[in-house]
Amino acid sequence: DFKKMQSLTFETPDLDRFPGLGLAYDALAEGGTMGAILNGANEIAVDAFLHDRIRFGQIAQLVEETMHAVPVVHHATLDQVFESDLLARAKAEELLKQITLLNAPPAIRADALFKQAALAFREKHYIAAENLLLKKLMLMQNGFVKHI
């Protein structure tokens, strides 16, 4: 019963243990549409966690990466706030695919790396293709993948 309480004591929150709270402080400090960006990314991240697509500790990581990737509009209209939320959700889904791939078994990661390298080579991004093939080679050298 709050009426019977004599006092409340608050401690400084541990932002290392609660990184989402730190991200909320960052969103407040940034202003503009950053709150909508945080919210949209968080909705996608929590849904991914609830459906076993990411671990609990990856929620804040996905939200933070989305916050860095989506541009903030200061002095935004209501339509711009809604648009920022939608952009954040789309970016979080895109980033989620990368995280999900990292959590995949090595053989699946290797196949995906090869497909990405082939696409990069076709688009004449030779250095990117080489880096992707080197990652696949490292998986092979570590005994995770038996074929090229």
Side-chain angles (χ1 to χ4, degrees), residues 44 53 62 65-66 69-70 86-101 116:
I44 298 301
R53 295 174 64 197
L62 181 59
E65 288 180 24
T66 304
V70 177
L86 291 174
L87 288 172
R89 289 169 190 264
K91 185 62 177 181
E93 286 286 358
E94 178 186 322
L95 293 168
L96 181 61
K97 290 177 185 173
Q98 295 172 8
I99 292 172
T100 304
L101 179 61
Q116 290 172 357

Side-chain angles (χ1 to χ4, degrees), residues 22-129:
L23 294 174
Y25 285 142
D26 293 346
L28 284 170
E30 180 67 35
T33 57
M34 186 55 82
I37 294 166
L38 178 141
N39 181 69
N42 190 61
E43 292 281 340
I44 298 301
V46 169
D47 184 70
F49 168 71
L50 292 174
H51 290 93
D52 296 322
R53 295 174 64 197
I54 60 174
R55 296 183 312 275
F56 180 78
Q58 292 175 302
I59 293 173
Q61 172 192 351
L62 181 59
V63 171
E64 182 176 19
E65 288 180 24
T66 304
M67 289 171 67
H68 289 296
V70 177
V72 176
V73 178
H74 294 279
H75 310 291
T77 65
L78 185 57
D79 286 340
Q80 289 171 314
V81 172
F82 289 137
E83 182 179 348
S84 291
D85 178 82
L86 291 174
L87 288 172
R89 289 169 190 264
K91 185 62 177 181
E93 286 286 358
E94 178 186 322
L95 293 168
L96 181 61
K97 290 177 185 173
Q98 295 172 8
I99 292 172
T100 304
L101 179 61
L102 291 174
N103 293 334
I108 293 173
R109 286 196 318 249
D111 288 343
L113 288 169
F114 186 76
K115 289 175 186 173
Q116 290 172 357
L119 179 62
F121 188 80
R122 258 196 311 266
E123 295 177 359
K124 298 187 181 348
H125 299 292
Y126 301 116
I127 293 173

